[in-house]
Amino acid sequence: DIQMTQSPSSLSASVGDRVTITCRASQTIKRYLNWYQRKPGKAPKLLIYAASTLQSGVPSRFSGTGSGTDFTLTISSLQPEDFASYYCQQSFNTYSFGQGTKLEI
Amino acid sequence: QLQLQESGPALVKPSETLSLFCTVSGGPISNGNDSWAWIRQPPGKGLEWIGTIYYSGSLHYNPSLKSRLTISVDTPNNQFSLRLTSATAADTAMYYCVRHLIAADGPYNWFDPWGQGTLVTVSS
């Protein structure tokens, strides 16, 4: 099984901040890495797939980089609606998720 | 715009079967391209992929659940379903139904969209 480790598990930030969340795979997953956002009471939302491709409709302040085992999700300038939980997910070998990063004010 | 909505009992007794349905609206469930999956998150734990039924009809189940699991599609009702037999407290979780998309030009794949989720508690 491929284990996905996100860091940090929680993060305090302010509107306008640049924020980076890291996801590490226990073995290479090439670029089979997706990022999701989840807000309380709402359906999780796909942000980025294949490591760096922005899903249609997702603001350009979100970006993803990485390949192999190390990946990052960056929010260039935090907006109030970005305070949520973020999850990475690998689709290289079956499917597994990181434990999540809670982004708080 | 495709939308998914989970439905089913919120409370299941131990040893009984946990059954959930996902109603797909905004498009046909059997369009030859889309696959469908279930994902869950137990309280205080991470997200866990349960299984996928591919557009070809083939099934891919989480090995840890395979012996108890059935995922199927009901095309006339535009629904797909989850059946998990012999439920235990460990099956208590928020259950999400999702479309499992596979890129047309390669093996990349992802889950989108998701339903809002339904909380199922296994307890007597």
Side-chain angles (χ1 to χ4, degrees):
Chain A
D1 291 2
I2 298 177
Q3 309 301 319
M4 305 300 294
T5 303
Q6 277 182 245
S7 61
S9 56
S10 65
L11 176 59
S12 293
S14 301
V15 173
D17 284 354
R18 179 183 181 89
V19 165
T20 297
I21 298 169
T22 297
C23 181
R24 174 165 289 177
S26 59
Q27 64 187 74
T28 182
I29 57 170
K30 299 187 179 182
R31 294 178 58 82
Y32 290 81
L33 191 283
N34 308 315
W35 290 97
Y36 302 89
Q37 176 193 66
R38 188 174 68 181
K39 297 180 181 179
K42 291 200 169 182
K45 175 184 172 183
L46 175 71
L47 298 175
I48 288 169
Y49 60 91
S52 61
T53 303
L54 202 63
Q55 169 70 339
S56 175
V58 174
S60 59
R61 62 180 180 274
F62 291 91
S63 63
T65 62
S67 65
T69 60
D70 294 315
F71 301 85
T72 60
L73 171 70
T74 299
I75 309 172
S76 60
S77 177
L78 271 176
Q79 298 302 301
E81 61 268 29
D82 299 337
F83 291 94
S85 293
Y86 293 87
Y87 296 86
C88 62
Q89 175 248 325
Q90 66 83 17
S91 60
F92 178 73
N93 185 343
T94 311
Y95 314 103
S96 53
F97 293 82
Q99 79 279 18
T101 296
K102 188 172 183 180
L103 182 51
E104 300 172 301
I105 299 174
Chain B
Q1 183 180 357
L2 204 69
Q3 291 187 310
L4 283 68
Q5 179 65 57
E6 304 87 353
S7 60
L11 181 64
V12 175
K13 289 184 168 53
S15 80
E16 294 189 345
T17 296
L18 188 160
S19 294
L20 294 174
F21 296 90
C22 181
T23 300
V24 178
S25 58
I29 196 169
S30 295
N31 61 12
N33 293 313
D34 292 339
S35 303
W36 308 96
W38 290 94
I39 291 166
R40 70 181 183 180
Q41 185 170 30
K45 296 189 177 181
L47 290 160
E48 178 185 37
W49 167 76
I50 297 170
T52 295
I53 182 164
Y54 294 103
Y55 58 85
S56 62
S58 63
L59 298 162
H60 187 190
Y61 292 160
N62 187 318
S64 68
L65 299 169
K66 186 175 182 178
S67 64
R68 301 190 290 128
L69 180 62
T70 303
I71 294 176
S72 59
V73 169
D74 177 1
T75 301
N77 288 308
N78 231 43
Q79 289 183 331
F80 64 104
S81 65
L82 161 77
R83 289 185 79 250
L84 192 61
T85 60
S86 305
T88 71
D91 296 314
T92 294
M94 181 72 79
Y95 284 77
Y96 297 96
C97 61
V98 301
R99 181 175 59 175
H100 189 167
L101 275 171
I102 299 164
D105 58 351
Y108 291 111
N109 61 95
W110 53 90
F111 301 116
D112 178 68
W114 296 53
Q116 285 201 310
T118 187
L119 180 62
V120 179
T121 301
V122 180
S123 174
S124 55

